[in-house]
Each structure stands twice: as structure tokens, then as C-alpha cells.
Amino acid sequence: AMPTPMRIWAGVENSLPCPVTVQEGREWTSEMEVKQPLPEETAALVRGTPSVELEEVWFKYDKDLTDVVKGLSLSVYSGEITAILGGNGTGKTTSLSLISGLNKPYRGKVKINGEEIEKIPNSKLFDHLLGVLPQNPQALFTAKTVEEDLMEILSESDLPKAKRKKQAVQMARLCGLADLLQSHPYDLSGGEQQRAALAKVLLLKPKILLLDEPTKGLDAEFKQVFADILHKLTAAGVKVIMVSHDIEFC
């Protein structure tokens, strides 16, 4: 949870005073003359078909309004974490809504696993294919306790109730919610709500995970846990696309 300059200073063997501010960090870096050799060029990876592909996508919310997304092209492959960065009003969340099929571009194509998204029925699109964590986690809550809410997302599973409950409890433990299972989701703090919503989405075991401001309200400790979760998911072939203001986390 320390400021970035302090964490960099602590990770490098040196005898200089510890910098606290960004300016002091720049001065420390300059004095250390930290230089890293450029990595050798490697052969281009053979990636195959993109899991998510946007081809010259244009979108606006009304025909009389200006374009929010202008000619966006993007390819996301298996095992990758893709972060969409930018200030407010630059079309980050809108881009995510185009990938999820919530909004449709008026020009260009959105493809999931090589198939145009409008040709994929929602029953297939959200059946272990796409998982979406919205910017407002409360949009996902439907039950009176966290445990019931996690069980609800598994209600259509073929697993026996005991196994579904075990999965829900394990996910709650992974997301730091073990002591909050009997709490009402609306009584949780902002960071706890974010973790509860994340747990609910992860229980769907999506192959493509879309995250809108996923670190909002999370403390430094859980961000490390969350980063580890994302790396484990991508190692298993899950594709992660996140919209974020958190440049450090990205």
C-alpha cells in the first residue's frame, strides 16, 4: 500500500534516501541512472483466430449525436489480458458494451471466436462464454444474502445443491467474503460489493471475462489477490478485457 516511489526504492539495492513523492522518485531514478537492456526481438507468436475481434467499429447513442467510438479495431487472443485505458468520456465502457453485445455498432463488425456477435443467441453468448462485471456491482445483486446471491448464479447448474453450495463458499473464500456470506449485499462496503460481484461472475466460469473498473474500491492487498486470480485465469485460457482508470494495476 506504499506509494510507488517507495516500493521501487525498496525493491532496488541502494543507499539513497527513500523517495516519497513522484518528484522525489524521478530525482532518485535519475540519480540511480537505472537502465534496462531492451529485450531481444522474438519471433511473432502463432496465435490463430482471435477470441474477440473488432473491425473498424463505429458507434453513437443517437443518430444526431457525435460518435463515441470511432473506427475501433481490436484483437484479443487466448491467454491475454487486455486493458482499455483513457479518461472519462473516451468510450471505454461503450467499447465493452459493444463486445458484450449490449450495444450494436452502426458500422464495422464485432466477432466472438470468429463469429459475428449478432448471429450468436444470448442463450449461447452468456452460457460460460461471456462473463461481464459491470461498473455498478449492485446491478448483479438479486438476493437477500451474499450466499443466496452466489447460489442464485448457479441455480441452472446440473450439480447437486451440496456441490453448488461448496463452489459458492470456495469462491467467497477466494474473494475474501467468507465472513460476509449472511450479510445483505447492499450492506457491504464499496470494495466488498465489488468482490461479491466478481465472485458471482467468476462462478459462471466464462471463457471471455469483461471487467469494467474492476479495482474500484479494492484495497492494495486484495488487488494483489485479484491480479493473481487474473493470471491463473489467463493461464487456463480465459481471455480478460478490462476497462480501467487504475494504470498502476494495469
Side-chain angles (χ1 to χ4, degrees), residues 49 98 235 248:
T49 303
L98 295 171
E248 257 188 51

Side-chain angles (χ1 to χ4, degrees), residues 3 23 29 46-47 55 58 60 81 89 102 120 135-136 147 150 163 167 180 194 196 210 212 219 222 228 236-237 244:
Q23 179 61 37
T29 304
V46 179
R47 291 166 157 180
E55 298 177 353
W58 293 71
K60 52 186 171 184
I81 299 177
L102 182 64
I120 306 174
Q135 196 168 136
N136 178 14
E147 184 177 17
L150 295 180
K163 285 195 175 181
Q167 281 190 5
L180 301 169
Q194 195 77 351
L210 308 179
D212 196 349
D219 58 34
F222 189 76
D228 189 47
S244 182

Side-chain angles (χ1 to χ4, degrees), residues 33-92:
E33 293 184 346
V34 177
K35 295 177 181 178
Q36 294 289 344
L38 293 172
E40 293 182 9
E41 289 187 16
T42 55
L45 295 173
V46 179
R47 291 166 157 180
T49 303
S51 299
V52 176
E53 190 172 14
L54 278 63
E55 298 177 353
E56 285 292 321
V57 166
W58 293 71
F59 176 82
K60 52 186 171 184
Y61 286 98
D62 188 87
K63 64 179 181 179
D64 297 324
L65 297 177
T66 57
D67 291 298
V68 180
V69 176
K70 306 176 183 180
L72 174 62
S73 292
L74 174 70
S75 296
V76 176
Y77 296 86
S78 180
E80 288 186 347
I81 299 177
T82 300
I84 302 175
L85 303 171
N88 291 328
T90 53
K92 301 188 304 300

Side-chain angles (χ1 to χ4, degrees), residues 133 175 193-203 211 222 226:
L133 178 68
C175 292
Q193 286 186 352
Q194 195 77 351
R195 301 201 312 260
L198 175 66
K200 194 168 183 178
V201 172
L202 291 179
L203 279 170
L211 307 168
F222 189 76
F226 181 44

Side-chain angles (χ1 to χ4, degrees), residues 142-202:
T142 58
K144 293 182 179 179
T145 69
V146 171
E147 184 177 17
E148 289 175 11
D149 213 63
L150 295 180
M151 290 291 288
E152 184 272 333
I153 204 72
L154 296 171
S155 60
E156 296 185 14
S157 169
D158 295 331
L159 292 172
K161 186 175 180 180
K163 285 195 175 181
R164 281 185 276 138
K165 184 168 184 176
K166 184 178 179 180
Q167 281 190 5
V169 171
Q170 286 175 337
M171 186 60 70
R173 192 176 296 120
L174 177 67
C175 292
L177 301 165
D179 297 330
L180 301 169
L181 285 171
Q182 300 310 313
S183 301
H184 195 291
Y186 279 43
D187 290 337
L188 304 180
S189 69
E192 290 165 349
Q193 286 186 352
Q194 195 77 351
R195 301 201 312 260
L198 175 66
K200 194 168 183 178
V201 172
L202 291 179

Side-chain angles (χ1 to χ4, degrees), residues 126-141:
F126 294 101
D127 182 17
H128 302 294
L129 180 55
L130 278 184
V132 183
L133 178 68
Q135 196 168 136
N136 178 14
Q138 292 185 357
L140 295 183
F141 301 145

Side-chain angles (χ1 to χ4, degrees), residues 54 57-62 68-69 93-106 110 117-118 126:
L54 278 63
V57 166
W58 293 71
F59 176 82
K60 52 186 171 184
Y61 286 98
D62 188 87
V68 180
V69 176
T93 294
T94 301
S95 298
L96 217 58
S97 74
L98 295 171
I99 296 170
S100 68
L102 182 64
N103 285 310
K104 310 290 184 187
Y106 71 85
V110 178
I117 195 168
E118 58 264 27
F126 294 101

